[in-house]
DNA sequence: TCAAAAGTGTTATGAGTACACCCATGC
DNA sequence: GCATGGGTGTACTCATAACACTTTTGA
């Protein structure tokens, strides 16, 4: 059958181009890339690191790195995320991490063949990252200012942005952007920021509360002020993960 | 910055575990796996191949194979698909292929480290495949009978099934299961088969026709009979790719 | 003439929208 | 008091669900 049946070093089979031998070529390297988003001051931000080496020295890039020999891509992503953001391993282990897709263009890295598995993470507003070792800087960058990244990271970032926008429609993911306890106003801000639209507050409220398991009210009287105005009730993320029916963004509905 | 800045053979940086050198370990192999679906006799079928070598000799598996040195994962997937199904390269090039996700568990292949990029393809009912070389057999298998596949292919197949089910809700993908010209009854069959539910014909019909660009009527009087009953009008896939608003499966709506 | 599949019509329900209005707090 | 955000009420619109009914073919 297929080439999978013939690992490098074993006999050829005729389903493989004549003369193909994995050891005759440079090995593939496998990396992970992370598009980590947060909402800050009503703008979507992404975590970027500055490259300290060629190629793309001095350019900004998505954090990421090589898989260790006995590590899955998701473990590698969590490890890199912890390293780059200064999060504890525990916090990183609990984070919502989602595989975006894999980028495998043969020329995506000018030096060698690198296949990269991209992940998306959504985090609440975190302290400024402490940059990895090796003279690297890391920082939160408004998405609007994140352009001309190294490698194909502009593409990955665009894919990630579009994916999370879509995900907000039919999952409860938006709560991942919020701290453990949050107000419905903050949750609405997440949607408005990611989608770049304004939503009707009364309707948003009803929609969220009508979806069982989306949010759960925090007991007692605890309320929090967002500055001025009436203090808002606090909620925590609920147990549901999917939104049925979905919460479609306004643009997604205007044909008919 | 991150390890990506240090390809194998260059200097270490302290963001990488001490002593790590990609050449000191077995190289990663990168493969593609394909979950190719079709609808046959009102049942969802998947294309499987029989393994001719250890491990899992004699077991059924998803078709797939190694990436060539200068080939993207998607190109590899199209190439493998053409090889396994006997499709022409041209047909394979036009097919709807979608990246599912990447599987990277260190132990997913007992012999070596293999990272596999899985793809999903939807095809109309095709002739029986002609199996690849090397004594392999290939055949369409009802999804219900496809179990205990080699490697982690049970997992991949389950993920693929659940993904296409979800995709039918908010994309026009169902037409990929149909021949170039099809009736609305056939299109409805696709939904009913993939979702495993019955839909109301009048409502389905209205919904499809009300979505601009989903299908376009074939001009003139051409009608086709599906055996007995009134001949149905023929349609072709339209230009739209997304469904707004989505066509939710019944189960996805029964909470409130 | 009957079964089977295509196609049309109609009504009730419920989700989504838009917008008016009241409440609580800081300045 | 007034600006600011939280929270409630309501009426209109439109998509969907459910189901009755007609049409056109093969046997």
């Amino acid at each position: 059958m297929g080439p999978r049946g013939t690992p490098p070093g074993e006999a050829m089979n005729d389903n493989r181009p004549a003369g193909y031998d994995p050891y005759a070529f440079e090995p593939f390297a496998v990396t992970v890339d992370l598009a980590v988003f947060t909402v800050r001051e009503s703008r979507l931000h992404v975590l970027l690191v500055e490259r300290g080496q060629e190629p793309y020295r001095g350019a900004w890039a998505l954090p990421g790195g090589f898989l260790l020999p006995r590590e899955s891509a998701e473990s590698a992503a969590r490890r890199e995320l912890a390293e780059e953001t200064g999060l504890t391993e525990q916090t990183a282990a609990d984070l919502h991490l989602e595989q975006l897709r894999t980028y495998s263009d043969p020329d995506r890295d000018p030096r060698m063949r690198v296949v990269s598995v991209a992940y998306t993470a959504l985090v609440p507003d975190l302290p400024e990252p402490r940059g990895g070792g090796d003279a690297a800087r890391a920082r939160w960058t408004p998405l609007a200012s994140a352009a001309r990244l190294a490698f194909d990271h502009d593409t990955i970032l665009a894919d990630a942005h579009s994916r999370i926008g879509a995900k907000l429609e039919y999952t409860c993911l938006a709560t991942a952007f919020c701290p453990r306890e949050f107000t419905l106003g903050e949750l609405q801000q997440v949607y408005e920021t990611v989608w770049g639209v304004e939503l009707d507050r009364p309707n948003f409220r009803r929609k969220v509360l009508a979806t069982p398991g989306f949010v759960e009210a925090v007991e007692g009287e605890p309320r929090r002020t967002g500055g001025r105005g009436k203090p808002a009730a606090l909620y925590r993320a609920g147990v549901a993960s999917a939104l049925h029916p979905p919460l479609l963004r306004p643009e997604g509905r205007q044909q008919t």
Side-chain angles (χ1 to χ4, degrees), chain A residues 39-77:
Chain A
V39 173
R40 273 196 163 182
E41 297 152 12
S42 298
R43 285 185 305 172
L44 193 59
H45 286 63
V46 62
L47 182 66
L48 295 181
V49 296
E50 190 180 10
R51 290 186 51 81
Q53 291 139 292
E54 292 299 335
Y56 299 104
R57 183 189 199 105
W60 291 87
L62 298 176
F66 287 103
L67 261 68
L68 298 181
R70 300 232 3 108
E71 185 182 51
S72 72
E74 177 161 334
S75 304

Side-chain angles (χ1 to χ4, degrees), chain A residues 130-151:
Chain A
R130 58 151 184 79
D134 194 42
R137 289 193 295 157
R139 69 164 188 215
W140 291 108
T141 306
L143 193 59
S145 317
R148 307 203 135 271
L149 303 182
F151 305 104

Side-chain angles (χ1 to χ4, degrees), chain A residues 132-165:
Chain A
D134 194 42
R137 289 193 295 157
R139 69 164 188 215
W140 291 108
T141 306
L143 193 59
S145 317
R148 307 203 135 271
L149 303 182
F151 305 104
D152 52 0
H153 291 189
D154 282 327
T155 303
I156 298 178
L157 185 54
D159 290 350
H161 184 204
S162 118
R163 170 77 69 92
I164 62 168

Side-chain angles (χ1 to χ4, degrees), chain A residues 5-64:
Chain A
T6 308
E10 293 186 14
M12 304 284 112
N13 77 44
D14 59 6
N15 201 14
R16 175 184 299 173
Y20 178 64
D21 171 5
Y23 280 123
F25 300 93
E26 291 176 285
F28 285 70
V30 179
T31 62
V32 293
D33 283 310
L34 286 155
V36 187
F37 292 102
T38 199
V39 173
R40 273 196 163 182
E41 297 152 12
S42 298
R43 285 185 305 172
L44 193 59
H45 286 63
V46 62
L47 182 66
L48 295 181
V49 296
E50 190 180 10
R51 290 186 51 81
Q53 291 139 292
E54 292 299 335
Y56 299 104
R57 183 189 199 105
W60 291 87
L62 298 176

Side-chain angles (χ1 to χ4, degrees), chain A residues 15 33 44 49 52 54 65 72-73 82 94 98 100-101 113 115 131 134 143 150 152 168 170 176 179 193 204 217 249:
Chain A
N15 201 14
D33 283 310
L44 193 59
V49 296
E54 292 299 335
S72 72
D94 296 338
E98 182 173 341
L100 176 62
R101 55 161 293 177
R113 189 68 202 267
V115 169
D134 194 42
L143 193 59
D152 52 0
L168 289 197
Y170 54 94
T193 301
F204 177 82
R249 52 192 133 180

Side-chain angles (χ1 to χ4, degrees), chain A residues 4-256:
Chain A
R4 190 185 301 95
T6 308
E10 293 186 14
M12 304 284 112
N13 77 44
D14 59 6
N15 201 14
R16 175 184 299 173
Y20 178 64
D21 171 5
Y23 280 123
F25 300 93
E26 291 176 285
F28 285 70
V30 179
T31 62
V32 293
D33 283 310
L34 286 155
V36 187
F37 292 102
T38 199
V39 173
R40 273 196 163 182
E41 297 152 12
S42 298
R43 285 185 305 172
L44 193 59
H45 286 63
V46 62
L47 182 66
L48 295 181
V49 296
E50 190 180 10
R51 290 186 51 81
Q53 291 139 292
E54 292 299 335
Y56 299 104
R57 183 189 199 105
W60 291 87
L62 298 176
F66 287 103
L67 261 68
L68 298 181
R70 300 232 3 108
E71 185 182 51
S72 72
E74 177 161 334
S75 304
R78 286 192 196 282
R79 177 176 52 72
E80 293 286 345
L81 182 56
E83 288 175 13
E84 302 279 357
T85 59
L87 260 52
T88 66
E89 295 277 353
Q90 181 56 49
T91 311
D94 296 338
L95 272 183
H96 178 88
L97 246 190
E98 182 173 341
Q99 191 177 310
L100 176 62
R101 55 161 293 177
T102 294
Y103 297 82
S104 60
D105 186 276
D107 298 313
R108 59 181 298 281
D109 189 309
R111 296 159 300 174
M112 63 178 299
R113 189 68 202 267
V114 178
V115 169
S116 189
V117 186
Y119 280 81
T120 298
L122 307 182
V123 301
D125 195 359
L126 294 174
E128 202 61 28
R130 58 151 184 79
D134 194 42
R137 289 193 295 157
R139 69 164 188 215
W140 291 108
T141 306
L143 193 59
S145 317
R148 307 203 135 271
L149 303 182
F151 305 104
D152 52 0
H153 291 189
D154 282 327
T155 303
I156 298 178
L157 185 54
D159 290 350
H161 184 204
S162 118
R163 170 77 69 92
I164 62 168
K167 276 269 172 181
L168 289 197
E169 291 193 333
Y170 54 94
T171 71
C172 298
L173 206 52
T175 54
F177 276 115
C178 299
R180 242 174 62 81
E181 300 193 337
F182 53 87
T183 68
L184 294 185
E186 292 166 346
L187 187 62
Q188 184 175 344
Q189 274 276 337
V190 168
Y191 278 90
E192 294 183 331
T193 301
V194 175
W195 288 347
V197 298
E198 293 215 332
L199 301 176
D200 181 83
R201 185 163 36 79
N203 293 335
F204 177 82
R205 188 183 177 71
R206 259 187 300 267
K207 174 74 183 175
V208 170
L209 295 178
T211 303
F214 192 176
V215 299
E216 62 182 44
V218 171
E219 275 307 311
E221 279 273 4
R223 307 177 149 254
R224 187 170 65 180
T225 170
R228 52 212 168 289
K230 181 177 177 178
L234 288 177
Y235 295 85
R236 260 197 284 270
V239 294
S241 60
L243 268 183
H244 275 296
L247 179 43
L248 300 177
R249 52 192 133 180
E251 281 73 355
R253 213 181 307 95
Q254 91 297 35
Q255 105 296 129
T256 286

